[in-house]
Amino acid sequence: MSLDPSSFLPLHSLFLGTFLETVMESPGVYEGKVEAKEPADNQDARNRCAEEEEKKKVLLMKSLVEAQDPAAKEVDSLTLRRFLKARDLDIEKASSQFLKYLKWKRTAVPNGFISKEQVENELSQKKIYVQGVDKAGRPIAVFFAARHFYSMRHMDEFKRFVVYTLDGICSRMPAGQETFTCIGDLKGWGYSNSDIRAYLAALDIMQNYYPERLGKVFLIHVPYVFMTVWKIIYPFIDQKTKKKFIFVEDKNLKATLLEDIDEGQLPEIYGGKLQLVPIDESTES
C-alpha cells in the first residue's frame, strides 16, 4: 500500500520526521517519490510478453514430442498448450505427460472415439446431462451422483463412459472456449452410491488426459455423509483443480448459480428455463 507523505503535514514535526524516514527506506520510494501504480500499457506489454513466451514453449514442446511419437503431429497447439499450462509451463513435465496421453489413448480409445454401444449400461442410468452455457460461454454438464451405484458399475465400462462424457462435452464447446462448467447434484446420495475407486478413476482421466478442461464445479444438495468420502478424494485433486470446486448451500442455490449462469441457460429444476437433456441426446444434436 503506497502512502502520500503530504497527508501527514498537520502532524507534529517529530512524528512527521519519523514517518518520512520510514517511507524513504521502504521499497518503491526514490528521492521522496512514492512509486506509482503500473500503467495499463505496461501490464498489457507484460501480458504480451507472457503470451509470446508461452507460444515459444508450445513450439519447443511440439518439436520434442513429435520427435518421440509421430502421432503428436496430428495434435493441435491448443491441446499442447493445455498440457503445458497444467504443468505450470514446465516443458519437460508437460511433454512427459502428453506422451503418456498418446500412449493411453491408443489403448483406451483405439477407434478414436467411444460409441454409445460401448457404454450402454452407464447411459441407461441417466446420470449425466449436458445443455446450455454459462456466462463465460462454457457448456454446462449436470451430474446426478445418486444415480451411480457401485453394484451396477463395471470399471472398464465406467472409464469408457468418462471418456465418452468428456469428449461429448468438449464437442459442444464453441470456438475459443476450452473449459466446461459442472453442476454436481448429490441430492439423495448415500453409501450405496459411494464408489471411491470410480471417483478416483474419473479424476485421474480428467487431470492427466483432459487437463485444463474443467472450469468450475458446483457441488449442490451435499449430504453430510458425503464429506467422509470427500476427505478421502481431496488429497488426490491437484491444487489448481481444488480451487474449482464450490460447495453451495441449499438456501443460496439459485442465487449462487445465477452469478455464473443466466436464468435462460439454467436447468428448470434449479429455477431456470432449460430442460435437462441426457448427454447421448445432447451430443447428437
Side-chain angles (χ1 to χ4, degrees):
M1 176 179 178
S2 299
L3 298 174
D4 183 1
S6 64
S7 64
F8 286 79
L9 288 176
L11 297 177
H12 190 279
S13 59
L14 175 61
F15 292 100
L16 177 58
T18 303
F19 169 76
L20 290 176
E21 287 178 6
T22 302
V23 173
M24 290 294 289
E25 293 174 357
S26 301
V29 178
Y30 180 68
E31 294 183 352
K33 296 180 180 179
V34 178
E35 185 177 38
K37 184 179 180 180
E38 183 179 24
D41 289 346
N42 288 356
Q43 184 60 50
D44 290 341
R46 288 178 181 274
N47 292 338
R48 286 194 296 270
C49 286
E51 290 175 3
E52 288 301 316
E53 185 65 23
E54 186 178 276
K55 289 179 181 178
K56 291 178 182 179
K57 289 191 173 186
V58 169
L59 290 174
L60 180 55
M61 177 180 168
K62 185 175 180 64
S63 64
L64 287 174
V65 295
E66 287 181 357
Q68 298 184 61
D69 191 332
K73 295 179 181 180
E74 306 299 322
V75 180
D76 60 63
S77 296
L78 289 176
T79 299
L80 295 177
R81 189 183 70 168
R82 286 194 293 272
F83 276 87
L84 191 61
K85 290 174 65 177
R87 298 301 181 270
D88 297 318
L89 302 184
D90 186 309
I91 296 176
E92 184 177 349
K93 290 181 179 179
S95 297
S96 176
Q97 186 56 52
F98 178 74
L99 291 171
K100 290 179 181 178
Y101 158 76
L102 291 178
K103 184 178 180 181
W104 165 83
K105 192 170 184 179
R106 280 192 284 268
T107 303
V109 198
N111 298 321
F113 68 97
I114 302 296
S115 67
K116 293 170 60 174
E117 291 71 26
Q118 292 176 283
V119 289
E120 285 183 340
N121 176 56
E122 291 291 330
L123 286 174
S124 68
Q125 297 167 40
K126 302 295 183 183
K127 53 190 172 186
I128 293 187
Y129 297 74
V130 180
Q131 72 287 297
V133 295
D134 68 9
K135 293 178 181 179
R138 297 178 293 207
I140 302 169
V142 182
F143 171 56
F144 292 97
R147 299 182 187 179
H148 174 90
F149 293 92
Y150 169 81
S151 60
M152 298 174 61
R153 184 264 295 156
H154 305 288
M155 183 57 78
D156 288 342
E157 183 190 12
F158 177 78
K159 290 180 179 179
R160 290 195 298 269
F161 182 64
V162 173
V163 174
Y164 175 91
T165 298
L166 291 172
D167 284 346
I169 296 172
C170 291
S171 72
R172 292 181 58 84
M173 291 179 183
Q177 182 57 256
E178 297 185 77
T179 60
F180 69 92
T181 290
C182 179
I183 298 175
D185 192 330
L186 285 94
K187 187 174 184 178
W189 186 95
Y191 286 119
S192 62
N193 309 115
S194 178
D195 193 353
I196 295 175
R197 282 190 63 206
Y199 299 158
L200 292 179
L203 186 63
D204 176 69
I205 291 172
M206 186 179 67
Q207 291 187 160
N208 291 315
Y209 307 126
Y210 291 81
E212 297 297 308
R213 282 301 199 183
L214 182 64
K216 185 177 291 188
V217 181
F218 295 99
L219 294 177
I220 67 175
H221 301 315
V222 182
Y224 181 77
V225 291
F226 174 76
M227 299 313 297
T228 302
V229 173
W230 178 251
K231 290 178 181 179
I232 297 173
I233 299 171
Y234 191 75
F236 293 93
I237 305 175
D238 65 42
Q239 292 302 316
K240 286 185 177 180
T241 305
K242 285 177 180 177
K243 299 176 183 178
K244 299 175 182 180
F245 284 87
I246 300 173
F247 284 80
V248 184
E249 294 183 344
D250 287 352
K251 63 180 180 180
N252 300 322
L253 178 57
K254 184 177 179 180
T256 300
L257 293 177
L258 286 177
E259 289 178 7
D260 283 68
I261 306 170
D262 287 325
E263 187 175 25
Q265 298 294 310
L266 190 67
E268 287 181 329
I269 59 172
Y270 306 128
K273 298 180 179 180
L274 283 187
Q275 293 185 348
L276 290 172
V277 182
I279 186 168
D280 51 320
E281 297 178 20
S282 175
T283 52
E284 283 182 351
S285 62

